[in-house]
Amino acid sequence: MALPACAARALGQPLQRERGAPARTTCPRRHSRVEAELAASRPGSVAASVRAGPPRGVSRGFNSQPFLDEPLKASSSLAGAARTPLFALLSRGRRRRMHDLRRRWDLGSLCRALLTRGLAALGHSLKHVLGAIFSKIFGPLASVGNMDEKSNKLLLALVMLFLFAVIVLQYVCPGTECQLLRLQAFSSPMPDPYRSEDENSARFVPRYNFSRGDLLRKVDFDIKGDDLIVFLHIQKTGGTTFGRHLVRNIQLEQPCECRVGQKKCTCHRPGKRETWLFSRFSTGWSCGLHADWTELTSCVPSVVDGKRDARLRPSRNFHYITILRDPVSRYLSEWRHVQRGATWKASLHVCDGRPPTSEELPSCYTGDDWSGCPLKEFMDCPYNLANNRQVRMLSDLTLVGCYNLSVMPEKQRNKVLLESAKSNLKHMAFFGLTEFQRKTQYLFEKTFNMNFISPFTQYNTTRASSVEINEEIQKRIEGLNFLDMELYSYAKDLFLQRYQFMRQKEHQEARQKRQEQRKFLKGRFLQTHFQSQGQSQNPSQNPSQNPNLNANQNVTQNLIQNLTQNSSQKENRESRKQNPGQEQSNGGASNGTNDYIGSVEKWR
């Protein structure tokens, strides 16, 4: 049987007509599929090679295409002439599938197709879920299944917007830093940051009895005048962080100028070329590295006014401040710092006009530093200045002969040093504790009437907290720092009593201010009320001719007195309910002070 003309042309054979058969010039559409299969069955034909695919070992990659390309235009080459009629033999649906197959091999089209189908499937599933939910809630009124194309697009846009918001939220607030966008603030009132800072109640039982002058620390610091704040920086007490707060975190008329890459900042008074702060980050170590009380009190006046004549020196007020820390934590932190190579060799230790000799202050190591020393070796050195460092740096060393241990017995020397450190600490303008950052900020702001820009942060995880020690080592560290332990207990008691006193004073001042405002508002209201009544009754008479007006004024004054007395008694009863252990009186700030001191006696 002879092939039709189109099939013969596709196979590249000469057209031979069968004897007795009529000539055909066209290929009927119903026989196109059969003729294509016959053409493909002949070995060596183009269709057979196309169906068989590439030879063995040749990949069907993106470049191995014979029939994935679109139909080529008329070409003079033999392959193009043979391939074009064969492609035309295929049905329209198969040609579409071949075009789709080519598009799928394209990576970009594949990704777009996957993303489109995935989003469509997600939208379809969400549509059914929402339809089920709405049908449960609204019944047949809301049929989500009949959503039109615009509704589907809107739903898809909402889903995309939600996914984009989740991605942005994870980028801006990674992890749990945002704490679910602070939703707890809507469910519960804001806690008192000062009360919950140390995870204990703000109420405590005081051990020491301090006077009103010891508790009330309010310095009339004149930054535009000649007053000077002197920061006594004790090693490993958090003084570096507090020192940075002083130069970078205080609201001032003329803020300190801090340049990038430089530790020191320029802290000038408003309108003057003179500093108001003497610290590491403003003037540097002008009196030596980590100068103590003995060095600062003799060095600071000469450094600040050394170039002036003694008769032209202003009468300055030097306000000393410092930060203390728990002795065990501070000791471990210093040991870790020494392990990393710190020596503080630049410290002068000047006392009574001279530094100590090598016999008075021997060294604990022989090399350049003491890096890598174990804790036992650090504790075994009897000349280690880390022992009782806070007492030594806050006391007046001239009272015990400086570093000469032969002046007096050790027991007497320790007693004198401890009492001197307590006295200097109590009479300082301000001191804070590393374990109470927010309370330290509060007391500094109330003492100097200077506000910080951002609140202090309490760091409960430090290098010292990462050191694991047993009970025996802790007791030995406490024994090596027994003077610091006593000083810290005294300082903590004084610090918390000052804080409570200042908070109570602040509450009393606010209550007194509210009482005065109520008096003013009530008196003005009653006065205008009775005056309007008197004028409405006798509009033509003068006040001198109207005796009822004077009577109304007297009645108004009596009512004002009764109302103010009742309101004050009511507030006193409320304050007694809030503070059952304290006695309230009708006085102002001074009576509040006496009440606080009396309550201290009751607590004792």
Side-chain angles (χ1 to χ4, degrees):
M1 178 180 178
L3 293 175
C6 57
R9 285 196 300 269
L11 296 176
Q13 296 179 356
L15 184 61
Q16 295 179 1
R17 184 167 54 89
E18 200 176 311
R19 292 182 181 181
R24 287 186 180 180
T25 58
T26 60
C27 292
R29 178 172 291 276
R30 64 177 180 271
H31 298 296
S32 62
R33 186 174 181 180
V34 176
E35 291 168 353
E37 291 178 356
L38 289 174
S41 63
R42 288 181 63 88
S45 64
V46 178
S49 62
V50 170
R51 183 180 293 272
R56 187 174 182 180
V58 179
S59 174
R60 280 187 185 269
F62 294 103
N63 296 326
S64 62
Q65 32 145 359
F67 74 99
L68 296 181
D69 293 337
E70 296 182 358
L72 300 176
K73 296 182 179 180
S75 175
S76 61
S77 62
L78 179 62
R83 193 184 306 167
T84 303
L86 179 62
F87 190 85
L89 291 176
L90 301 178
S91 63
R92 185 177 298 176
R94 184 163 293 186
R95 271 183 281 176
R96 287 179 181 176
R97 286 194 291 272
M98 290 173 67
H99 286 303
D100 293 340
L101 184 61
R102 184 200 180 282
R103 293 193 195 99
R104 288 168 191 164
W105 282 111
D106 187 6
L107 184 59
S109 301
L110 180 62
C111 293
R112 286 193 297 270
L114 290 176
L115 181 60
T116 304
R117 292 191 178 187
L119 292 177
L122 179 62
H124 188 69
S125 60
L126 285 176
K127 183 178 70 173
H128 283 286
V129 170
L130 292 176
I133 294 174
F134 288 165
S135 61
K136 291 286 185 181
I137 298 175
F138 300 104
L141 297 178
S143 58
V144 186
N146 297 327
M147 285 185 176
D148 54 358
E149 187 178 357
K150 293 183 178 180
S151 301
N152 292 335
K153 291 182 179 179
L154 179 60
L155 181 61
L156 184 61
L158 291 176
V159 172
M160 294 294 295
L161 182 62
F162 175 75
L163 294 176
F164 179 75
V166 170
I167 294 172
V168 172
L169 183 63
Q170 283 296 111
Y171 179 79
V172 175
C173 304
T176 58
E177 293 180 3
C178 283
Q179 296 181 359
L180 297 178
L181 298 178
R182 309 285 186 185
L183 293 179
Q184 297 178 355
F186 298 96
S187 60
S188 60
M190 290 295 293
D192 187 2
Y194 307 108
R195 185 178 185 87
S196 60
E197 178 183 37
D198 55 340
E199 300 180 358
N200 293 320
S201 176
R203 191 72 171 268
F204 78 106
V205 179
R207 295 175 52 192
Y208 299 90
N209 188 14
F210 296 103
S211 63
R212 179 181 180 273
D214 297 335
L215 299 178
L216 181 59
R217 307 301 295 172
K218 194 165 185 179
V219 177
D220 187 14
F221 178 69
D222 186 11
I223 193 172
K224 297 182 179 180
D226 299 319
D227 295 348
L228 190 69
I229 295 179
V230 182
F231 180 38
L232 196 158
H233 186 177
I234 303 175
Q235 289 94 317
K236 312 312 296 178
T237 58
T240 301
T241 302
F242 184 76
R244 289 197 182 100
H245 282 302
L246 293 178
V247 297
R248 299 175 183 268
N249 194 26
I250 290 187
Q251 296 178 357
L252 297 174
E253 180 181 348
Q254 182 176 343
C256 299
E257 297 180 3
C258 301
R259 297 181 180 180
V260 179
Q262 295 183 1
K263 290 185 177 181
K264 291 199 303 181
C265 302
T266 303
C267 300
H268 285 162
R269 304 179 191 273
K272 294 183 180 180
R273 303 284 298 178
E274 186 181 20
T275 184
W276 56 269
L277 177 64
F278 192 94
S279 71
R280 167 189 179 184
F281 293 106
S282 60
T283 58
W285 304 111
S286 301
C287 293
L289 180 62
H290 288 286
D292 54 21
W293 172 272
T294 307
E295 293 176 289
L296 289 177
T297 52
S298 60
C299 171
V300 172
S302 59
V303 169
V304 175
D305 300 319
K307 297 181 181 179
R308 300 185 183 183
D309 189 6
R311 294 173 297 178
L312 300 177
R313 293 179 182 178
S315 56
R316 299 181 183 273
N317 293 321
F318 296 98
H319 303 291
Y320 287 87
I321 61 175
T322 191
I323 299 291
L324 297 181
R325 187 180 180 183
D326 176 72
V328 177
S329 300
R330 197 213 65 80
Y331 189 84
L332 292 174
S333 181
E334 182 170 346
W335 165 62
R336 293 293 299 271
H337 197 58
V338 169
Q339 269 193 331
R340 297 191 299 271
T343 59
W344 296 299
K345 286 182 177 180
S347 299
L348 302 178
H349 303 297
V350 176
C351 178
D352 204 7
R354 67 175 183 86
T357 62
S358 58
E359 290 80 11
E360 293 176 342
L361 190 61
S363 178
C364 291
Y365 54 91
T366 56
D368 295 334
D369 54 27
W370 209 3
S371 59
C373 70
L375 180 58
K376 186 178 184 303
E377 181 180 349
F378 189 78
M379 293 187 297
D380 290 341
C381 179
Y383 313 108
N384 194 350
L385 291 179
N387 302 336
N388 298 315
R389 182 180 288 277
Q390 297 182 97
V391 169
R392 181 182 58 80
M393 294 190 67
L394 289 175
S395 61
D396 187 0
L397 297 179
T398 58
L399 300 177
V400 294
C402 297
Y403 294 91
N404 188 2
L405 302 180
S406 61
V407 174
M408 61 180 63
E410 181 180 1
K411 187 175 181 180
Q412 184 181 358
R413 175 187 175 87
N414 293 335
K415 183 179 180 181
V416 173
L417 288 176
L418 181 59
E419 293 300 325
S420 177
K422 287 182 178 180
S423 177
N424 293 334
L425 185 70
K426 183 174 65 175
H427 293 94
M428 273 187 174
F430 164 80
F431 73 90
L433 299 181
T434 308
E435 289 75 17
F436 302 93
Q437 290 290 322
R438 297 297 297 274
K439 293 182 176 67
T440 298
Q441 176 185 356
Y442 175 81
L443 287 179
F444 183 89
E445 292 176 345
K446 294 300 180 182
T447 301
F448 290 96
N449 196 20
M450 301 170 70
N451 295 324
F452 289 97
I453 299 173
S454 59
F456 289 9
T457 304
Q458 183 70 47
Y459 295 103
N460 295 323
T461 302
T462 59
R463 291 190 178 95
S465 61
S466 63
V467 179
E468 296 181 358
I469 57 174
N470 53 29
E471 186 177 357
E472 181 182 358
I473 295 178
Q474 182 174 356
K475 288 183 178 180
R476 185 178 179 189
I477 294 175
E478 292 176 357
L480 292 173
N481 297 271
F482 68 99
L483 296 179
D484 278 5
M485 296 293 294
E486 181 67 24
L487 177 66
Y488 184 78
S489 176
Y490 175 86
K492 183 178 179 180
D493 192 277
L494 177 58
F495 177 84
L496 294 178
Q497 285 200 45
R498 281 182 178 176
Y499 168 75
Q500 283 194 347
F501 175 77
M502 295 299 293
R503 293 280 284 184
Q504 183 178 357
K505 185 174 180 294
E506 183 181 10
H507 293 331
Q508 289 180 353
E509 290 176 353
R511 185 168 61 250
Q512 187 177 2
K513 187 176 181 180
R514 290 195 300 268
Q515 289 178 357
E516 292 176 355
Q517 290 177 352
R518 288 171 185 167
K519 289 180 184 178
F520 176 76
L521 293 176
K522 290 179 181 179
R524 188 165 186 176
F525 170 76
L526 293 174
Q527 185 175 3
T528 55
H529 176 70
F530 284 112
Q531 284 181 359
S532 61
Q533 284 185 353
Q535 291 178 1
S536 62
Q537 291 177 2
N538 298 315
S540 61
Q541 293 183 0
N542 295 328
S544 59
Q545 298 176 357
N546 190 4
N548 294 327
L549 184 62
N550 296 329
N552 289 335
Q553 291 179 354
N554 294 332
V555 172
T556 302
Q557 293 178 358
N558 294 331
L559 288 174
I560 292 171
Q561 291 178 359
N562 293 331
L563 289 173
T564 52
Q565 289 178 0
N566 292 332
S567 63
S568 62
Q569 291 176 1
K570 184 178 179 180
E571 289 189 353
N572 289 333
R573 287 195 298 269
E574 291 178 355
S575 62
R576 288 195 186 105
K577 289 180 181 180
Q578 294 177 358
N579 301 317
Q582 302 180 5
E583 297 179 359
Q584 301 289 340
S585 62
N586 294 328
S590 61
N591 290 334
T593 305
N594 296 330
D595 295 341
Y596 179 80
I597 297 175
S599 63
V600 170
E601 293 294 334
K602 284 192 172 184
W603 295 337
R604 292 174 60 85

